[in-house]
């Protein structure tokens, strides 16, 4: 006599989900220069323009809904002087259209950049050189040290 054994396994949703976090916004000051890319998990990266050097910051560094809402509330019309790189403007891009929108609240943008910088960790295969390079390019304070920086020799 043959018997059939049926085993049903139930797993909680998302147990094996490895969804890649998606970008929800990009903040740059000056426009196209020092850039923070914020992911939907509150983590992200800092980079400068198209340079390959970057540093990351961990998930949970930012409260995404409030940062996104605040960025949307600060969007202004394009600068009237025709300059795309005026130092008193920053840009924000929202995927998927990634159209530049202008923000005159540069101090708020700078606070977001510095919050990412404070929580940084070198992005693999980044090195201490990447951290130094981003620090200089984005004009972060010389004495500033992140939680994962190597102590000076």
């Amino acid at each position: 006599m043959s018997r059939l054994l049926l085993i049903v396994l139930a797993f909680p949703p998302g147990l094996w989900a490895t969804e890649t976090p998606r970008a929800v916004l990009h903040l740059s000051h000056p426009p196209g220069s020092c850039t923070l890319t914020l992911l939907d998990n509150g983590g992200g990266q800092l980079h400068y323009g198209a340079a390959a050097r970057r540093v990351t910051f961990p998930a949970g560094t930012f409260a995404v809904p409030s940062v996104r809402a605040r960025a949307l509330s600060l969007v202004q019309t394009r600068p009237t002087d025709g300059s795309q790189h005026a130092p008193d403007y920053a840009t924000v891009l929202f995927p998927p259209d990634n159209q530049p929108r202008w923000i005159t609240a540069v101090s708020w943008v700078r606070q977001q950049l510095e919050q990412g910088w404070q929580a940084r960790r070198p992005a693999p295969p980044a090195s201490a050189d990447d951290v130094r390079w981003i620090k200089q390019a984005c004009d972060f304070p010389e004495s500033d040290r992140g939680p994962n920086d190597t102590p000076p020799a």
Side-chain angles (χ1 to χ4, degrees):
M1 176 180 266
S2 66
R3 295 184 184 203
L4 176 65
L5 176 62
L6 178 64
I7 299 175
V8 177
L9 301 173
F11 297 100
L15 180 64
W16 285 291
T18 57
E19 245 182 72
T20 302
R22 294 170 309 176
V24 293
L25 64 81
H26 308 275
L27 287 169
S28 294
H29 182 256
S33 299
C34 190
T35 302
L36 178 143
T37 297
L38 182 60
L39 303 176
D40 57 6
N41 67 1
Q45 65 180 8
L46 290 164
H47 60 94
Y48 192 87
R53 297 180 187 266
R54 24 192 111 256
V55 293
T56 63
F57 48 88
T61 299
F62 287 90
V64 175
S66 62
V67 172
R68 190 174 195 290
R70 181 74 171 139
L72 281 167
S73 76
L74 294 172
V75 169
Q76 303 288 314
T77 58
R78 186 182 177 117
T80 56
D81 65 2
S83 171
Q84 293 189 17
H85 298 287
D88 54 343
Y89 286 93
T91 54
V92 60
L93 289 77
F94 299 98
D97 72 357
N98 291 324
Q99 294 299 313
R101 292 168 176 90
W102 301 91
I103 293 180
T104 56
V106 171
S107 62
W108 179 81
V109 172
R110 187 66 188 183
Q111 288 171 356
Q112 307 318 298
L113 292 167
E114 289 179 2
Q115 183 175 339
W117 179 249
Q118 290 291 330
R120 72 189 172 276
R121 59 181 179 211
S127 66
D129 287 339
D130 291 342
V131 172
R132 282 190 297 277
W133 197 92
I134 294 292
K135 176 191 252 181
Q136 182 177 4
C138 293
D139 195 30
F140 291 122
E142 187 61 36
S143 62
D144 185 32
R145 290 182 41 77
N148 299 300
D149 285 351
T150 306

